[in-house]
Amino acid sequence: MRRSASALASGAVLAVLCGCTVQASGEEQRSPVRIELPSGTPSPKSAPPDDKPSAAPTREAPAVLWQRGDEGRDVRELQARLRQVAWLFDGPTGTYDELTEQAVRGFQGKRGLQKTGKTDEVTWQRLLKMTREPGKWDLYLMGGQPADAPDGRCLTGRVLCISKSSRTLRWMIDGRSVLTVPVRFGSQYTPTREGVFSVYWKSRHHVSTLYDSPMPYAMFFSGGQAVHYSSDFAATGYAGASHGCVNVADERAISEMFAQVRTGDKVVVHW
C-alpha cells in the first residue's frame, strides 16, 4: 500500500511538471489550458515590416485660376471684389498686374492661406464668401468698357457721338470712329441733356464760374454743359458724377480731340 501511495504521489508530481491536469469524467470534463499550435502562415499584424518606409500621403495644391499676366472679364471681377474688402484701390483694369498680385498676397496672408499672389480655388472661394456680385459699373469703374454701336444720327459729318448706355464718346468723321473714350455724366439731380446739339464754344483753360472748378479742354454744346477733361473722373471713376457735363478722364485723348473738333461740329447724346 505504501508503494502504491508513493507511486500515485510521484505520478501527480510528474503530471504537474509536464503541464497536464487531472481531468474530471463525464460532462464536467474540460481543460483549463488552451494550447494553440502555429498554423504556418503569419497574420498580417505579425508580418515582417517592409524594408522601404511608406510614403506620407501627398496633398495636391489647389488649382490656380488666375495669375500675373492674365487678362479678361474674370480678372476684372477679381479686382472689383478685392476693392470691396479694401485690398485693392486702383482699377479694375482687367489685367492681373503687380498691384493685383500684391493685393491677393495680402488677402491670403490675412486669412492664413499660402501667400503666393496667385488666385487659386481656395483663395477665390474665400473671397466670394466675403463679397457681393459686382455690377457692370463696378467692373468698369475706371473705364475700359466696350462702346455701343454708333447712333444713326452719328453716321454722317463730324460728330461727337455720346452714348449714355455704354458711357462712351466716339469722335466720328463721315461714319468712321477716330477716337473712342469712356465718359461720365451728371447725377440724377444734374442730368446731362440728351438730343442733337452743336459745339458753339471751345475754351482750353476754362474754369466754371458756377462751381469754381477747372474744366480744361471744354467744348460747350448746351448752355453750361460741355465735354471736358475731369481730374476727379480720372481719380475716382464712376464713383462720382459731374454737374451735367460730359467728363473725360484721358487727358491725352481729349487734347487730341480738342485740337480736331471745330465750332459747329455736331454733338449727339443718346441712349
Side-chain angles (χ1 to χ4, degrees):
M1 288 293 291
R2 288 183 181 178
R3 183 179 293 178
S4 299
S6 176
L8 289 174
S10 298
V13 171
L14 182 59
V16 172
L17 292 176
C18 291
C20 298
T21 58
V22 178
Q23 298 179 355
S25 60
E27 295 181 356
E28 297 296 328
Q29 181 179 347
R30 61 181 177 177
S31 170
V33 178
R34 178 183 177 87
I35 301 176
E36 293 186 356
L37 298 177
S39 64
T41 303
S43 66
K45 291 185 178 180
S46 63
D50 193 348
D51 292 338
K52 297 181 181 179
S54 58
T58 57
R59 179 180 298 176
E60 293 185 2
V64 173
L65 303 177
W66 310 289
Q67 58 188 318
R68 192 167 178 175
D70 288 342
E71 296 181 343
R73 191 266 180 204
D74 290 340
V75 175
R76 281 188 180 276
E77 180 173 348
L78 168 67
Q79 293 169 329
R81 289 180 183 273
L82 287 169
R83 283 181 62 92
Q84 291 180 32
V85 291
W87 277 107
L88 189 66
F89 299 95
D90 291 358
T93 63
T95 299
Y96 204 117
D97 54 12
E98 182 180 359
L99 291 177
T100 305
E101 186 177 67
Q102 291 175 357
V104 171
R105 187 179 294 114
F107 177 84
Q108 290 169 327
K110 184 72 172 179
R111 280 144 194 90
L113 305 175
Q114 188 176 1
K115 297 191 293 183
T116 64
K118 301 175 182 179
T119 304
D120 54 40
E121 290 180 343
V122 174
T123 302
W124 179 239
Q125 290 302 320
R126 183 70 63 89
L127 185 59
L128 285 179
K129 292 179 181 178
M130 297 178 61
T131 54
R132 59 172 176 79
E133 179 75 19
K136 178 179 180 180
W137 301 116
D138 294 319
L139 297 176
Y140 295 99
L141 182 66
M142 305 306 294
Q145 67 273 18
D148 280 346
D151 184 278
R153 296 168 290 181
C154 302
L155 299 179
T156 57
R158 301 165 58 87
V159 190
L160 290 171
C161 190
I162 302 168
S163 168
K164 281 191 168 183
S165 57
S166 67
R167 299 184 181 183
T168 53
L169 180 156
R170 292 176 183 264
W171 164 230
M172 303 184 67
I173 299 177
D174 296 330
R176 178 176 61 90
S177 295
V178 178
L179 196 61
T180 303
V181 293
V183 291
R184 186 177 72 172
F185 303 103
S187 68
Q188 60 177 324
Y189 305 106
T190 56
T192 302
R193 301 181 189 99
E194 299 154 24
V196 180
F197 312 92
S198 63
V199 176
Y200 71 87
W201 181 35
K202 294 171 62 180
S203 178
R204 166 65 181 83
H205 300 287
H206 194 79
V207 176
S208 171
T209 56
L210 184 60
Y211 300 104
D212 193 28
S213 58
M215 298 170 57
Y217 305 101
M219 294 174 278
F220 288 89
F221 61 88
S222 177
Q225 295 189 355
V227 176
H228 68 84
Y229 171 73
S230 168
S231 59
D232 181 71
F233 183 28
T236 64
Y238 293 113
S242 76
H243 292 101
C245 287
V246 178
N247 291 163
V248 177
D250 187 335
E251 188 171 8
R252 181 198 60 78
I254 196 170
S255 68
E256 291 182 21
M257 198 182 310
F258 186 86
Q260 296 178 35
V261 172
R262 305 168 185 167
T263 301
D265 284 347
K266 187 163 57 173
V267 178
V268 177
V269 183
H270 67 93
W271 282 99

